[in-house]
Amino acid sequence: MKHFSKVILLVAVVLLAGFGVHRLTHQTTVPKSATTQTAKKSTTTQAEAKTINWRKPSESKAYPDLKAHPNAWLDVNTSRQRVYIKDGQETLYTMYCSTGTGKENGTPHGTYHIQEERGKFFYNQNSGEGARYWVSWKDHGIYLFHSVPTDENGHYIKSEAEELGKSAASHGCIRLSVADAKWVYETVPYGMKVVIHS
């Protein structure tokens, strides 16, 4: 009888211990999962809320060496507001941009080539905006890659610059960060292919 009581007691202890471990494991697992989801959500929110610095290069890595990529071309995606420097299908570098708005001021879609016209500054009285580091790609000085806009004195218009990479905002040209526009002005050669699409 004593032996039987010990067995029952032992079974009861094992069952209680098993129940306790299961409960402890269950309680530990749930918060872990919740913490992971919170961390993922926090990371996503941080990525989405990333501030675009319209003065600096779009990426932290160096611009591509175009001498090493003689067939590089510019892929402009108007729905993503991005310019991809590509060699074949390989993306070498991604730039934030703002393209034209609506039907009247939309950026023309199609295949073009960098033209010979380029300059360090322009100001358009009709639009009340200018820009730095411009390079023509259509209609010889009409459609350009250029920096975020400036006023007539060459001061950047912050409210316009802050739209970079977020939404279409130009009169048809392709706006870039100041650093990216300067790189295009100084580096992108005459004749480089430019493909613009949504």
Side-chain angles (χ1 to χ4, degrees):
M1 193 73 177
K2 279 185 180 179
H3 185 14
F4 183 72
S5 297
K6 283 183 181 178
V7 170
I8 290 177
L9 184 62
L10 184 61
V11 169
V13 168
V14 169
L15 286 174
L16 284 173
F19 178 74
V21 168
H22 171 73
R23 196 167 170 204
L24 181 64
T25 306
H26 182 70
Q27 285 177 345
T28 309
T29 305
V30 173
K32 238 185 186 180
S33 170
T35 304
T36 306
Q37 287 176 352
T38 306
K40 282 180 184 173
K41 195 172 183 180
S42 172
T43 306
T44 305
T45 308
Q46 286 172 354
E48 288 170 0
K50 182 185 174 194
T51 304
I52 295 170
N53 189 330
W54 52 266
R55 292 182 182 274
K56 294 189 174 180
S58 293
E59 290 199 60
S60 55
K61 68 181 183 181
Y63 291 110
D65 177 3
L66 295 183
K67 288 175 186 169
H69 299 278
N71 298 316
W73 57 287
L74 300 171
D75 177 12
V76 182
N77 188 313
T78 57
S79 56
R80 291 185 180 171
Q81 298 300 306
R82 298 291 186 270
V83 175
Y84 304 97
I85 303 167
K86 292 191 170 184
D87 187 349
Q89 292 306 306
E90 180 191 358
T91 300
L92 306 173
Y93 197 92
T94 302
M95 297 177 173
Y96 299 114
C97 74
S98 284
T99 57
T101 57
K103 288 182 181 178
E104 199 174 305
N105 293 318
T107 300
H109 288 194
T111 300
Y112 306 94
H113 292 85
I114 296 294
Q115 299 176 324
E116 59 189 16
E117 297 85 2
R118 63 181 69 205
K120 287 192 173 180
F121 180 75
F122 77 88
Y123 180 73
N124 183 327
Q125 296 246 334
N126 293 333
S127 67
E129 291 177 353
R132 297 187 187 279
Y133 309 116
W134 60 272
V135 175
S136 180
W137 53 268
K138 184 179 186 306
D139 295 344
H140 300 282
I142 303 297
Y143 290 97
L144 317 167
F145 285 101
H146 61 66
S147 73
V148 291
T150 69
D151 62 21
E152 61 187 316
N153 299 312
H155 300 119
Y156 294 107
I157 303 169
K158 193 176 176 188
S159 60
E160 290 288 328
E162 287 175 348
E163 293 303 312
L164 186 71
K166 298 173 187 171
S167 63
S170 80
H171 298 96
C173 290
I174 300 163
R175 297 175 178 177
L176 302 170
S177 76
V178 177
D180 291 350
K182 186 178 182 186
W183 181 84
V184 169
Y185 166 76
E186 292 176 343
T187 314
V188 167
Y190 170 77
M192 181 184 270
K193 183 172 75 170
V194 178
V195 179
I196 302 172
H197 60 94
S198 56

